[in-house]
Structure formats: C-alpha cells, structure tokens
Amino acid sequence: MTNKKRNCSSEIGGQAVLEGVMMKKKDDYAVAIRKSDGEIELDVDFYKGILADKLIKKIPFFRGIFNFIDSMILGTRLINYSATFYVDEEMEATKFDKVLEKIFGAKAEKVLMGFTTVFAIMLAIGIFILLPFYMSNWFRSFINNASLVLIIEGILRISIFLIYVSAISLMKDIKRLYAYHGAEHKCINCIEKGRPLNVPNAMSSSRLHRRCGTSFIFFVIFVSIIIFFFIQVDNIWLRAGLRVALIPLIAGISYEIVRWAGRSDNILVKILSAPGMLIQRMTTKEPDEGMVLVAIKAVEAIFDWKAYLKENFEYDVDEFWLEDEI
C-alpha cells in the first residue's frame, strides 16, 4: 500500500449514543445500535441543520457557531432515540408529556427536544462559565490583581471540567458510552491512516482523535481564558454578561482550531492538540470487538471508505470481508 497522504481527513464526524454509534458525513448520518437481543439496528437519515444551505454556514468562525448548535440538536435527538430501545415500552406517559401533546400536538416531541437542548446548553454555561467566574470573584476581596484573578478563574474552569469528566466516568452506563466513543474514533482513525476498515484493523487503531468533541470543549475553555483575559470591566454583572455573550465567538474560534488540527500534522498542531488528546483518555475507553462492529456498520452506511482509500492512498481493495457478527 502506498501512503499518498500522511494525514488525510475523511470529514466524517461521529458521536457515541446508548449502546451505539452515530456517524455523519455532511448532511447524511447513520446511527447503529446494539439491541438487547444482540441484533444491530441501523437507521440512516439526513440532517441539514437550522440554517440548511445558507452561505453563512460556510463562512469561517460563523460556521463553528452553527455547527455547534446543530451538533447539540442532533446529538440530543439521537441520545433520546437510542434510549427508546432500553426503556420500558409499557411505561405510561407522564402528566408533562400529556400537557405537551395537548398544546403542541404532533410537534410535542420536537418541542421537548428543543427544551432539552436549550436546558443542556444553559446548564453547561452555568457550570463551566458562570460558576468558575463567581468562585474566582471571591478572591478579589484579598487579591488586588485582576490578571491574577482571571488566571485563577481559568484554573477553576479547567478543574471543574476535569472533575466533571472524571466523576461521570465512574457510572457504569457512561463507561459503556465512552467505550463506544472509543469505537467511533478507532474506525475513523483506521480509515484516515489508509487501512481497510474491518474489526482487526479498527481494534489496533488509536481511540484518540484530534477532531473529537472533547478537544473542542477543551479549546472552548482555553480560548475563553485568553479572550476574557483581554476583556476586563469593573461591573460584576457586566463581566458575567460578557462571558455569556462571547460564547458564540469562542465556539467559532475553537471550531476553526479543531478543524485545522484535524487536517494538519505539524509540530504546532501536535502541541495545541496534546491537552485535548490527554483528556480524551478519560472520555474514551477501549471498546470490545462487538462495539467496533457497530461503529463499522454506521460508517459503511454513509461513507464509501474503499473509494476514499483508492483516491487518497492509491490503495485498491480488491477483496474485503468483515468478520461474522459478534
């Protein structure tokens, strides 16, 4: 096999869901879920996003804002979808469900997902942006140095994020989710290293990837520290408001960094990506072969990896087999 390119992005994105993996290529996505009977359920669909094909979604920095929102919306939808395979089918609708159905009718489910997404974003802002801000503000009573307080705020923000990731990783269901996260990365890495996509090749690939959402979140925290350092005002409410108002800008910058990191292999990229890759060791776990097979099913539903290898690595896959389902 001839490696035509050392680092060639497939532009595939993904996400772990409950007992499964979602893979996305442009507007098309596929979610594969291992059901309780051992069979793999595969659903293929498309998601154009909140602004569809608007030009603004292609403009650097702006595209990161809308891609982040779209990933939250689609991610919430698919987590809820995967959960339906493991909830008690005989559970009665709650009073809240009945009220939503009465008010919104057939759109009740979409409205509920919208509320869930907004709540998740607000919760993340509260925990990772405002909480460390108000905690660091306590230091202003005896530290008469605004820059030092901002550094403390940044340290607190990173610490809270690491504590949160470590704490939820102790949960059994989250451990399995992290393993499927690892399976997602292994499949993408396998393809992008120019190797045929099968279970053995994927299992031997890395579970860490530079374009991971974990790295994106780290860059959001890192970029926010830098931006807040240069934007200082005296009024506490204005300072808090600016931290919320600047989130779209921070998300846009972070997206471009992660996008660049996924396409480049120079030393600066490796240095910038190192902390995010280190954190990924907590948010990904080594999957078993069955989990990798689920991820492969999702990849193959939306991506012709054989054509990709031929185009980018001059590798023609004449014969290919996939091990029997595990």
Side-chain angles (χ1 to χ4, degrees):
M1 180 173 65
T2 301
N3 275 343
K4 186 178 179 181
K5 299 179 181 179
R6 290 186 61 191
N7 191 311
C8 182
S9 173
S10 62
E11 297 187 347
I12 302 176
Q15 174 187 325
V17 296
L18 298 178
E19 293 300 322
V21 172
M22 181 275 286
M23 291 290 189
K24 189 172 185 291
K25 173 73 172 177
K26 295 183 178 179
D27 295 333
D28 298 317
Y29 72 86
V31 56
I33 297 171
R34 178 79 72 175
K35 298 191 294 186
S36 55
D37 62 3
E39 295 294 320
I40 299 176
E41 180 79 12
L42 182 65
D43 182 54
V44 182
D45 206 336
F46 67 93
Y47 177 75
K48 283 187 171 294
I50 56 176
L51 290 182
D53 296 320
K54 298 293 185 181
L55 179 61
I56 193 171
K57 289 193 70 175
K58 300 178 182 179
I59 301 174
F61 300 105
F62 285 98
R63 62 189 173 192
I65 299 169
F66 295 104
N67 278 327
F68 171 69
I69 296 172
D70 285 339
S71 66
M72 288 289 293
I73 294 172
L74 182 60
T76 302
R77 176 191 298 178
L78 295 179
I79 286 289
N80 290 337
Y81 168 74
S82 63
T84 62
F85 290 90
Y86 294 92
V87 297
D88 187 350
E89 296 180 356
E90 298 181 356
M91 284 181 61
E92 295 184 2
T94 64
K95 291 182 179 180
F96 181 67
D97 293 330
K98 293 177 180 178
V99 170
L100 283 179
E101 289 179 5
K102 186 175 181 180
I103 297 174
F104 299 103
K107 295 182 179 180
E109 185 176 351
K110 289 185 178 180
V111 172
L112 181 59
M113 282 195 294
F115 282 141
T116 303
T117 303
V118 171
F119 177 75
I121 293 174
M122 291 177 62
L123 188 63
I125 291 173
I127 294 175
F128 301 119
I129 300 295
L130 296 180
L131 178 60
F133 165 69
Y134 284 110
M135 289 175 66
S136 66
N137 196 62
W138 176 76
F139 288 91
R140 289 180 180 270
S141 59
F142 54 89
I143 296 180
N144 191 24
N145 187 315
S147 296
L148 181 57
V149 173
L150 284 168
I151 292 172
I152 293 172
E153 179 185 347
I155 293 172
L156 287 170
R157 184 166 289 117
I158 294 173
S159 299
I160 290 172
F161 175 63
L162 293 177
I163 291 171
Y164 170 80
V165 169
S166 300
I168 65 172
S169 67
L170 299 176
M171 300 169 61
K172 181 180 178 180
D173 289 342
I174 297 298
K175 285 182 178 179
R176 290 192 62 80
L177 187 73
Y178 283 175
Y180 275 106
H181 189 192
E184 170 215 331
H185 285 184
K186 281 177 175 287
C187 287
I188 297 175
N189 278 322
C190 177
I191 295 168
E192 294 184 343
K193 294 299 181 182
R195 307 174 69 191
L197 182 61
N198 55 37
V199 172
N201 284 346
M203 286 294 291
S204 63
S205 299
S206 173
R207 74 175 196 264
L208 311 180
H209 198 283
R210 290 177 187 164
R211 293 199 317 272
C212 174
T214 303
S215 293
F216 171 77
I217 293 173
F218 173 79
F219 279 123
V220 165
I221 294 174
F222 180 72
V223 172
S224 70
I225 293 172
I226 296 175
I227 290 179
F228 296 158
F229 194 84
F230 290 100
I231 300 177
Q232 301 185 31
V233 293
D234 293 330
N235 186 281
I236 184 173
W237 299 110
L238 184 56
R239 288 203 306 274
L242 282 172
R243 275 155 176 72
V244 176
L246 290 171
I247 288 174
L249 173 63
I250 293 167
I253 295 172
S254 302
Y255 175 83
E256 297 303 325
I257 296 174
V258 171
R259 182 182 173 89
W260 172 52
R263 294 170 176 268
S264 180
D265 203 28
N266 63 51
I267 187 64
L268 179 59
V269 165
K270 291 181 179 179
I271 293 172
L272 290 174
S273 300
M277 300 287 276
L278 188 62
I279 297 172
Q280 280 184 52
R281 294 187 178 277
M282 292 191 288
T283 62
T284 63
K285 301 296 181 184
E286 284 294 329
D288 58 38
E289 293 185 349
M291 293 174 175
V292 166
L293 184 58
V294 170
I296 289 175
K297 293 284 188 184
V299 172
E300 294 187 323
I302 51 94
F303 185 68
D304 186 349
W305 60 266
K306 295 180 185 179
Y308 168 85
L309 292 186
K310 187 173 183 178
E311 177 183 354
N312 293 282
F313 295 91
E314 299 177 350
Y315 184 75
D316 193 0
V317 183
D318 296 320
E319 294 181 0
F320 173 75
W321 71 94
L322 192 64
E323 291 187 345
D324 292 337
E325 290 190 3
I326 297 165

